[in-house]
Amino acid sequence: MNKVPNAAASAEASRAPEAPLSTAGRDDLAAAKRVLVQEADALRRLADSLDGALLKALDILAAVTGRVIVTGMGKSGHIARKIAATLASTGTPAQFVHPAEASHGDLGMVTSKDAVLALSNSGETAELSDILGFARRWNIPVIGITMKAESALGNAADVTLALPKTPEAGAMGLAPTTSTTMMLALGDALAVGLYERKGLSAEDFHELHPGGKLGQILIRVGNLMHVGDEVPLIGTDDVMSHALLIMTAKTFGCVGVVNAGGDLVGIVTDGDLRRHMGPDLLRERVGDVMTKGPLTIRANALAAEAVRVMNERSITSLFVCDGMKPTGIVRLHDCLKAGVA
């Protein structure tokens, strides 16, 4: 019997074999791998070198009542901008101040409530002198990140985070590569250390990241649910004609059933209507038609959890409860509209 070939196997068979790498191609790959290995080794050395200075830096940054002013020149400046953004996004107010612009008026951005985090591989960046002098004059704490602890920056800083002496990547070893990778990683370590000290919760994180995919992931049911008069509810002793009117008016395709104490004890859906279809349906008691023990969710649950439950049970709405008391209703359509999937 002839077998029908597997589609994936057929595609694989029809794919042209890759041409062997040229000598230049092999050299390029080797160079790229060498850079990554060298930078990874530098990060391991950096991790091993961390000591009490990092803890002192965290103490200073955690005590700041103003902002962390992050500064640096050239490539260090680009890294400083990213560190400032990471600090701000993890709950530590921060901003980047360009050291050259600081000398021409931007020192007004720095206050006595701030701390300065200055980056310079050599520690001798001339453009940093004015912002460091300003910090010393107004007793603003300074944290320096540099490869040379015995430098102008190292001597001016209250705490110096010294990078391990590691050559820059590449044959010439001149362009800032390994040094900026270590600076960037050290900035991440400070930011994460601070937010873990503060006990930043997922809800706090969502407040700082309301947009984009991250914001969608962290949306809570309470942010999307319908409340008040929008929630379709009816009592167990009401008649089905009234339930049908509520279902039609509130367009959720269901109505929640509450007992005399206000607890959610059941739900009437389109499926329940079909199962009890008959000449006396509209006169029947709601409590006799409802499905008991409906699925519910908490207001502080992630909306993604609500989507998962609704997809698994092939339903389009979930009642939101505090204990047994209904506080709202969330609809699959609203979750998808908000970008939760």
Side-chain angles (χ1 to χ4, degrees), residues 125-140:
T125 304
E127 290 87 351
L128 286 174
S129 59
D130 286 337
I131 196 168
L132 293 177
F134 184 83
R136 296 299 77 193
R137 177 183 177 188
W138 297 105
N139 199 30
I140 298 168

Side-chain angles (χ1 to χ4, degrees), residues 77-101:
H78 294 308
I79 300 301
R81 287 181 186 274
K82 193 274 179 184
I83 292 174
T86 300
L87 287 167
S89 75
T90 52
T92 299
Q95 71 181 78
F96 172 77
V97 173
H98 194 289
E101 297 296 336

Side-chain angles (χ1 to χ4, degrees), residues 59-125:
D59 288 340
I60 289 172
L61 297 177
V64 168
T65 57
R67 285 177 168 75
V68 179
I69 304 300
V70 194
T71 188
M73 195 71 190
K75 302 300 184 293
S76 295
H78 294 308
I79 300 301
R81 287 181 186 274
K82 193 274 179 184
I83 292 174
T86 300
L87 287 167
S89 75
T90 52
T92 299
Q95 71 181 78
F96 172 77
V97 173
H98 194 289
E101 297 296 336
S103 303
H104 296 276
D106 281 4
L107 282 174
M109 297 179 181
V110 188
T111 75
S112 59
K113 296 180 180 180
D114 299 333
V116 171
L117 177 60
L119 282 62
S120 170
N121 186 32
S122 68
E124 302 293 345
T125 304

Side-chain angles (χ1 to χ4, degrees), residues 35-55:
V35 170
L36 296 180
V37 168
Q38 188 170 349
E39 294 191 351
D41 180 63
L43 290 179
R44 282 190 291 269
R45 292 183 60 188
L46 174 61
D48 291 340
S49 73
L50 296 180
D51 54 19
L54 180 78
L55 301 180

Side-chain angles (χ1 to χ4, degrees), residues 281-298:
L281 174 62
L282 297 182
R283 292 191 295 273
E284 287 194 52
R285 184 175 160 272
V286 169
D288 295 329
V289 175
M290 71 181 188
T291 296
K292 295 180 180 178
L295 286 172
T296 63
I297 197 163
R298 309 171 315 283

Side-chain angles (χ1 to χ4, degrees), residues 217-229:
I217 291 171
L218 295 173
I219 290 176
R220 302 280 176 174
V221 169
N223 300 128
L224 300 175
M225 69 182 189
H226 299 260
V227 298
D229 290 340

